[in-house]
Amino acid sequence: MPDPAEPAAAVEQFDCPTCEVPAGSTCRTRGGKVAPKYHTPRFMLVPQLRAELEVRSPVDRGPGRPWEMGPAIDAAAPEAATNRPFAARLDDTQIRLGTWIGNSRCRATN
């Protein structure tokens, strides 16, 4: 992967899930121009850039000009996220105990 000091090069290693441009090209707007910044789902694929709020397209890519496809490269595979939330899991004993306690409270109040 390119040096993190060059965010545009790192972002362009991936296809864009938003505007569907291939790896090696800048993001484009709905109007067919070069987007002024990369789409968030695309730069989130680069672990070093996940904390950024935006990654701007470099001036040499021509933001605002008509979009043209860049050189074709093989898209990198996104790395798996390491800080994924997880769901707690209850076993059957805890579920049955909770049901039994809940039912006994209902009977005690009646």
Side-chain angles (χ1 to χ4, degrees), residues 1-25:
M1 179 145 312
D3 182 19
E6 301 172 10
V11 171
E12 289 183 13
Q13 295 296 311
F14 301 96
D15 296 336
C16 182
T18 304
C19 63
E20 300 176 348
V21 299
S25 297

Side-chain angles (χ1 to χ4, degrees), residues 24-86:
S25 297
T26 57
C27 288
R28 66 177 169 220
T29 64
R30 290 184 197 141
K33 297 186 185 259
V34 175
K37 58 185 180 178
Y38 292 96
H39 293 111
T40 304
R42 188 178 192 185
F43 74 77
M44 287 296 170
L45 297 172
V46 181
Q48 297 87 354
L49 299 175
R50 287 187 182 144
E52 301 296 323
L53 297 177
E54 66 180 32
V55 176
R56 300 199 66 73
S57 297
V59 176
D60 66 339
R61 303 288 202 288
R65 294 187 194 144
W67 182 85
E68 294 178 9
M69 187 179 300
I73 62 170
D74 291 331
E79 294 181 22
T82 57
N83 57 353
R84 300 190 83 148
F86 60 92

Side-chain angles (χ1 to χ4, degrees), residues 88-102:
R89 186 172 172 202
L90 300 174
D91 65 11
D92 290 340
T93 308
Q94 291 171 318
I95 293 171
R96 280 186 262 136
L97 179 62
T99 304
W100 181 78
I101 291 171

